[in-house]
Amino acid sequence: MFKTKLSESRAWGELNTSKFMDRHIGAIAALILISLLSSLSGTPFDHTISNGWEAFVWGLADPVISLNCLVGIVAIGLLSSVFVRGAAIAGCFLFATVLGIVIHIFQLNFPGTEIAIAISTIVFGTMLMMPNQLNFLVLALVGISAGLFQGYANAESIVGAGMIPVLAYILGITLTLFAVAMSAKEIGVGMGMGEINRILPWKISLAGFALCAIGIVFLSNSLI
């Protein structure tokens, strides 16, 4: 009797976990679709911000409408799931992104921003194809570098704005980065990236290959 109830409890828990992960996957897929549609429809990436509300809304949207930035955030979340304290890696990426925004606001020059973002996407894709060979420190450093350049690129529209719009923009972009990175981390945990015996290598490799392809396309466009 007790074993039956325990078995039912475990089955119910696994079902809830599966549904929870499916929701994360659906949310990430929806964001990627929005990003693709934004690129195809010519959504204006260069925009000006005049007030706090516009700044907050664009802060929420900027990481999503740029596919190259979005896949980098998703990659960070997936890769961070390999480590027990992987949330720290996502935190470093988020902090570096905000720092990149601040650097751009103070008009310090970061040359080759688009090229650096594309290269980091390729690096993330390569890492995803070798999840069992990841190093915590290396991933954290790559994440910090990618975050700095992504924040710098996203802050183009906020340069010259007042203090309130800047703070609202940072709040918006922080919420989006946190939500996407943590959702991707939950997906990675659900796929078993942190446990070698449970890992689904073909799915991880496929995701890594897709990231490399996206990074190569953006790198080619940046060099033309």
Side-chain angles (χ1 to χ4, degrees), residues 5 7 29 35 54-56 63 67 74 88-89 94 102 104 109 134 137 140 145 149 158 171 174 184-185 189 219:
K5 290 184 177 180
S7 178
S35 185
E54 287 183 357
F56 178 71
L67 181 61
V74 173
I89 294 175
L94 197 155
V102 174
H104 200 153
N109 188 35
L134 288 176
L137 181 58
S145 176
F149 283 102
I158 203 69
L171 175 60
T174 299
K185 184 176 183 297
V189 171
L219 180 59

Side-chain angles (χ1 to χ4, degrees), residues 25-41:
I25 293 174
I28 295 295
L31 290 177
I32 292 175
L33 179 60
I34 290 171
S35 185
L36 286 171
L37 292 176
S38 298
S39 300
L40 294 174
S41 62

Side-chain angles (χ1 to χ4, degrees), residues 40-207:
L40 294 174
S41 62
T43 298
F45 290 96
D46 296 327
H47 44 268
T48 56
I49 292 174
S50 58
N51 57 61
W53 174 247
E54 287 183 357
F56 178 71
V57 171
W58 277 112
L60 292 173
D62 273 349
V64 175
I65 62 176
S66 176
L67 181 61
N68 202 19
C69 291
L70 176 60
V71 295
I73 304 167
V74 173
I76 276 289
L78 288 173
L79 291 167
S80 67
S81 66
V82 173
F83 303 99
V84 175
R85 298 177 181 176
I89 294 175
C92 288
F93 176 82
L94 197 155
F95 176 79
T97 302
V98 174
L99 182 58
I101 294 172
V102 174
I103 290 173
H104 200 153
I105 290 173
F106 283 96
Q107 300 183 1
L108 300 177
N109 188 35
F110 261 20
T113 305
E114 297 300 325
I115 294 175
I117 294 174
I119 291 174
S120 67
T121 301
I122 296 172
V123 173
F124 286 142
T126 304
M127 287 181 169
L128 276 173
M129 288 188 281
M130 302 181 296
N132 294 330
Q133 301 178 27
L134 288 176
N135 179 277
F136 184 93
L137 181 58
V138 172
L139 178 57
L141 291 175
V142 174
I144 290 171
S145 176
L148 282 172
F149 283 102
Q150 287 196 21
Y152 187 90
N154 287 333
E156 183 68 36
S157 59
I158 203 69
V159 173
M163 180 62 69
I164 297 300
V166 168
L167 292 177
Y169 184 84
I170 290 176
L171 175 60
I173 205 169
T174 299
L175 290 175
T176 297
L177 290 177
F178 179 81
V180 174
M182 290 299 101
S183 293
K185 184 176 183 297
E186 289 299 323
I187 292 172
V189 171
M191 294 173 72
M193 286 187 65
E195 300 175 27
I196 297 175
N197 292 331
R198 291 176 54 209
I199 198 164
L200 305 176
W202 69 272
K203 289 186 178 181
I204 304 301
S205 297
L206 183 61

Side-chain angles (χ1 to χ4, degrees), residues 13-37:
E14 289 176 358
L15 180 61
N16 285 338
T17 301
S18 177
K19 289 182 177 179
F20 189 61
M21 193 178 77
D22 287 344
R23 290 175 184 173
H24 284 298
I25 293 174
I28 295 295
L31 290 177
I32 292 175
L33 179 60
I34 290 171
S35 185
L36 286 171
L37 292 176

